[in-house]
């Protein structure tokens, strides 16, 4: 296998007396979909937050394409090409769809209007936003200028996913992307995940939905008690194996060996 | 494409047209939606109603270019402070110190000219710098130490008020003494006449400020970030906005605008009196902001509404005065308007369930 694109070694994060990450390792290879599963409180969220810059680990090292990175905030991770869809979506409800998609990386008008008067290029941003949402098949939205709070839960999810897919250049992280969606929207998001993969971008997928995980993932990272318990091939293991491993009902062979 | 799971196979036959709904809205719901997307409309309607009411009640006497521009002159200082307040309130904060920062700024400007013999432009810059500095202090405490804005500015309100009185020994600087040295401090008191309308440069400054801030809030990234931070701070942070930078920038900008209010205020009042530090400018600015439809929960409202809110208070004050009403009626009605404005804000916000 090729060199991993994103790795973590010995990540540790403590909140007071609670250890969320305990000397945790992580590897993501180019062009793959890696699912991360684990029981509630296993430390999945903290792992993901460390990878996307929302949390700074106490110890350990993260490397992106072989270079050590230290993200102080999500902006730095984004600039490095890691794009994240958060479970709470991280959208501003009162702002429009286009505003939200370009939050923090707005396009300014060309020429003096943009450079001196800092004027935003609304038309360009709305066009990109509309294109991305159409690509996603999520254009049941009537008006691209409407506030995000007027959208349904599935549509909001679509906006968040479209934002990540549009801007991610190295890695896309998706935290429970189908949790709030109906059957049809879930299917679209899964198709989108495979589309993104086809474009050569690796994806980290955090999900509790075993059928979805086993359908799209190339490898499954099982998280337990703050560290990586094992990585399994979904074609060689069953869903009940995975559930047994992550809940501690069964110990995987690699670990026993 | 991924392989559908068994239960999903029927999806190929599902409806594919864009969602379409019967327009089953009552006129009241339509109004609610309209106001939701046009937050400046409520104060504008109230303003127009008031102007029409007093116009009918007092006729020419009220509805004249002279009276209407006089109202503008009277509200210019509070209007500028309200613009500063609006920026802070949009970030879901509040600035109780804005009024005393303004007073401290004009006291510095006056003293620098009169007692230190500084050239007027330097004195004015010093006033702006002091106002911007205190705004920055507020922003720093709110964003870096994560203290609630109410508490931070309650503290700096008292601190700045005390410093201002100690520093100035509560000495009033007379207009004649100031104008003998320079005309610059009273620059915004200059006026020009268009027919019977008397327009001071202070009024022009207020209107230009509102136009500039409207542009900034709607057409620049910084402006959109102010809304985003006030709307949902965590979401803004995660979507890559450096929220503490936005907060510090907003409070510091509010301070600088208070510096402008200070300069305009010298032109309006003539003399410089540190004892005005006890005036409730901060509450007047908050009143105009709230009546102007800015949500105290942050992230919602249009700054143009605040201009209308400022004018509502000014029109009411002038109109009731002309009708020889007890001045307390103005206070009472202002209170009613504040509660009414917040109630309307809550109702409009329900549109998004």
């Amino acid at each position: 296998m090729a060199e991993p694109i994103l790795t973590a070694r010995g990540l540790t994060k403590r909140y007071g007396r609670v250890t969320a990450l305990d000397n945790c390792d992580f590897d993501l290879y180019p062009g793959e979909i890696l699912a991360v599963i684990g029981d509630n409180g296993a430390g999945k969220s903290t792992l993901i937050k460390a990878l996307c810059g929302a949390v700074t680990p106490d110890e350990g090292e993260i490397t992106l394409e072989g270079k050590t990175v230290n993200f102080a905030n999500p902006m730095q991770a984004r600039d490095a090409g890691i794009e994240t869809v958060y479970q709470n979506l991280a959208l501003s409800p009162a702002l429009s769809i286009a505003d939200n998609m370009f939050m923090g990386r707005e396009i300014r008008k060309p020429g003096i209007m943009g450079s001196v008067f800092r004027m935003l290029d609304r038309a360009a941003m709305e066009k990109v936003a509309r294109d991305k949402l159409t690509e996603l098949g999520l254009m049941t939205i009537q008006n691209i200028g409407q506030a995000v709070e007027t959208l349904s839960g599935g549509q909001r999810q679509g906006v968040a996913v479209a934002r990540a897919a549009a801007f991610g250049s190295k890695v896309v992280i998706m935290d429970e992307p189908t949790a709030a969606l109906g059957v049809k929207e879930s299917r679209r998001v899964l198709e989108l995940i495979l589309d993104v993969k086809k474009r050569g971008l690796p994806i980290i997928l955090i999900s509790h939905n075993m059928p979805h995980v086993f359908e799209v993932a190339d490898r499954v990272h099982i998280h337990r008690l703050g560290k990586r318990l094992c990585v399994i091939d979904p074609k060689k293991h069953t869903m009940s194996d995975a559930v047994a491993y992550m809940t501690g009902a069964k110990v995987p062979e690699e670990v026993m060996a | 494409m991924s392989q559908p799971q068994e239960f999903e196979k029927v999806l190929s036959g599902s409806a594919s047209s864009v969602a379409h709904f019967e327009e089953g809205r009552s006129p009241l719901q339509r109004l609610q939606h309209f106001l939701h997307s046009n937050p400046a409309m409520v104060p504008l309607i109230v303003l127009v109603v008031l102007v029409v009411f007093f116009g009918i009640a007092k006729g020419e006497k009220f509805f004249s270019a002279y009276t209407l521009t006089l109202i503008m002159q009277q509200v210019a200082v509070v209007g500028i402070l309200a613009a500063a307040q609006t920026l802070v309130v949009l970030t879901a904060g509040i600035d109780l110190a804005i009024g005393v920062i303004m007073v401290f700024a004009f006291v510095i400007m006056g003293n620098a000219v009169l007692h230190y013999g500084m050239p007027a432009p330097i004195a004015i810059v010093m006033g702006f710098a002091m106002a911007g500095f205190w705004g920055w202090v507020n922003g720093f405490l709110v964003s870096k130490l994560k203290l609630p804005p109410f508490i931070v500015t309650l503290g700096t309100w008292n601190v700045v008020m005390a410093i201002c009185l100690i520093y100035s020994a509560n000495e009033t600087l007379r207009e004649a003494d100031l104008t003998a040295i320079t005309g610059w401090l009273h620059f915004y008191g200059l006026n020009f006449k268009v027919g019977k309308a008397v327009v001071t440069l202070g009024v022009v400054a207020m209107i230009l400020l509102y136009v500039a801030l409207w542009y900034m809030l709607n057409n620049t990234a910084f402006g959109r970030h102010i809304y985003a931070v006030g709307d949902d701070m965590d979401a803004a942070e995660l979507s890559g906005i450096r929220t503490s930078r936005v907060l510090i920038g907003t409070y510091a900008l509010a301070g600088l605008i208070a510096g402008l209010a200070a300069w305009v205020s010298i032109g309006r009042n003539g003399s410089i009196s540190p004892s005005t530090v006890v005036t409730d400018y901060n509450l007047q600015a908050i009143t105009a902001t709230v009546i102007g439809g800015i949500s105290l929960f942050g992230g919602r409202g249009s700054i143009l509404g605040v201009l209308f809110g400022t004018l509502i208070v000014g029109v009411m004050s002038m109109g009731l005065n002309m009708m020889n009403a007890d001045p307390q009626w103005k206070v009472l009605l202002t209170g009613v308007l504040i509660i009414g404005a917040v109630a309307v804000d809550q109702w409009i916000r329900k549109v998004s369930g």
Side-chain angles (χ1 to χ4, degrees), chain A residues 78 83-105 129 133 136 138 141 144 146-165 167 177 180-181, chain B residues 224-225 227-241 243 298-300:
Chain A
R78 261 171 44 159
E83 200 64 40
T84 309
V85 181
Y86 296 94
Q87 197 170 356
N88 61 7
L89 302 182
L91 299 173
S92 293
L95 298 186
S96 76
I97 297 167
D99 276 344
N100 266 291
M101 279 190 69
F102 284 89
M103 188 58 63
R105 57 184 144 221
L133 288 172
L136 243 170
L138 282 160
I141 291 158
I144 201 82
Q146 78 189 77
V148 162
E149 65 192 347
T150 62
L151 301 178
S152 73
Q155 289 172 322
R156 289 182 205 197
Q157 187 89 47
V159 172
V161 172
R163 174 167 72 176
F167 295 103
L181 299 186
Chain B
R224 301 321 290 167
H225 293 176
Y227 276 94
V229 166
D231 201 8
D232 187 335
M233 175 93 99
D234 295 334
E237 179 84 45
L238 288 177
S239 43
I241 294 174
T243 51
R300 276 155 225 267

Side-chain angles (χ1 to χ4, degrees), chain A residues 6-14 21-26 47 50-51 55-64 67-71 226:
Chain A
L6 181 66
T7 66
R9 288 291 170 268
L11 288 189
T12 301
K13 178 72 191 176
R14 294 184 195 89
L21 281 181
D22 178 20
N23 201 16
C24 171
D25 294 342
F26 175 87
L47 170 64
L51 294 176
V55 154
T56 313
D58 300 328
E59 287 159 39
E61 188 188 49
I62 299 172
T63 57
L64 179 65
K67 290 189 230 24
T68 304
V69 287
N70 288 297
F71 299 133

Side-chain angles (χ1 to χ4, degrees), chain B residues 69-316:
Chain B
T69 47
L70 183 60
I71 294 173
M72 301 281 274
Q73 290 173 39
Q74 287 170 346
V75 300
V77 171
V78 169
I80 292 171
L81 285 179
Q85 187 69 254
T86 300
L87 299 180
V88 172
V89 173
L90 279 176
T91 67
I94 195 133
D95 194 340
L96 296 172
I98 200 83
V100 295
I101 289 175
M102 172 188 80
V103 173
F104 193 29
F106 66 58
V107 166
I108 298 254
M109 289 178 188
N111 275 292
V113 166
L114 206 59
H115 293 319
Y116 311 151
M118 289 188 176
I122 294 182
I124 290 165
V125 168
M126 279 175 62
F128 271 97
M130 186 55 81
F133 167 76
W134 282 106
W136 179 86
V137 168
N138 283 335
F140 178 83
L141 294 173
V142 167
S143 69
K144 296 291 185 189
L145 300 190
K146 316 265 182 219
L147 303 178
F150 184 91
I151 298 303
V152 167
T153 57
L154 183 64
T156 50
W157 175 15
N158 286 291
V159 169
V160 174
M161 175 156 54
I163 292 177
C164 179
L165 290 172
I166 295 168
Y167 162 78
S168 66
N170 205 359
E171 177 202 0
T172 299
L173 311 178
R174 286 184 299 156
E175 182 172 11
D177 295 345
L178 292 166
T179 48
I181 298 174
T182 175
W184 275 107
L185 287 180
H186 294 81
F187 174 73
Y188 283 112
L190 300 177
N191 61 54
F192 58 91
K193 293 189 174 69
V194 185
K196 280 190 174 164
V198 183
V199 183
T200 61
L201 293 185
V203 170
V204 175
M206 173 180 76
I207 292 178
L208 288 181
L209 176 72
Y210 272 91
V211 172
L213 289 178
W214 175 85
Y215 175 84
M216 183 194 84
L217 286 170
N218 289 291
N219 287 301
T220 72
F222 182 65
R224 301 321 290 167
H225 293 176
I226 289 178
Y227 276 94
V229 166
D231 201 8
D232 187 335
M233 175 93 99
D234 295 334
E237 179 84 45
L238 288 177
S239 43
I241 294 174
R242 271 163 261 187
T243 51
S244 56
R245 227 185 249 196
V246 173
L247 280 176
I248 291 178
T250 306
Y251 279 87
L253 180 59
L256 287 175
I257 295 173
L260 175 67
W263 193 2
V264 171
S265 172
I266 298 174
R268 168 93 192 132
N269 297 321
S271 62
I272 290 176
S273 158
S275 60
T276 52
V277 79
V278 297
T279 312
D280 60 345
Y281 287 119
N282 53 354
L283 299 183
Q284 292 179 34
I286 294 171
T287 302
T289 306
V290 170
I291 294 179
I294 305 291
S295 169
L296 287 173
F297 301 105
R300 276 155 225 267
S302 160
I303 190 151
L304 294 183
V306 178
L307 183 57
F308 304 142
T310 305
L311 290 171
I312 287 172
V313 177
V315 165
M316 222 166 54

Side-chain angles (χ1 to χ4, degrees), chain A residues 12 17 39 88 102 124 160-162 187 206 210 213 220 241 248 254:
Chain A
T12 301
R17 296 171 66 181
D39 220 349
N88 61 7
F102 284 89
V161 172
R187 175 58 39 205
I206 298 94
M210 288 298 152
V213 164
V220 180
D241 287 342
E254 299 96 292

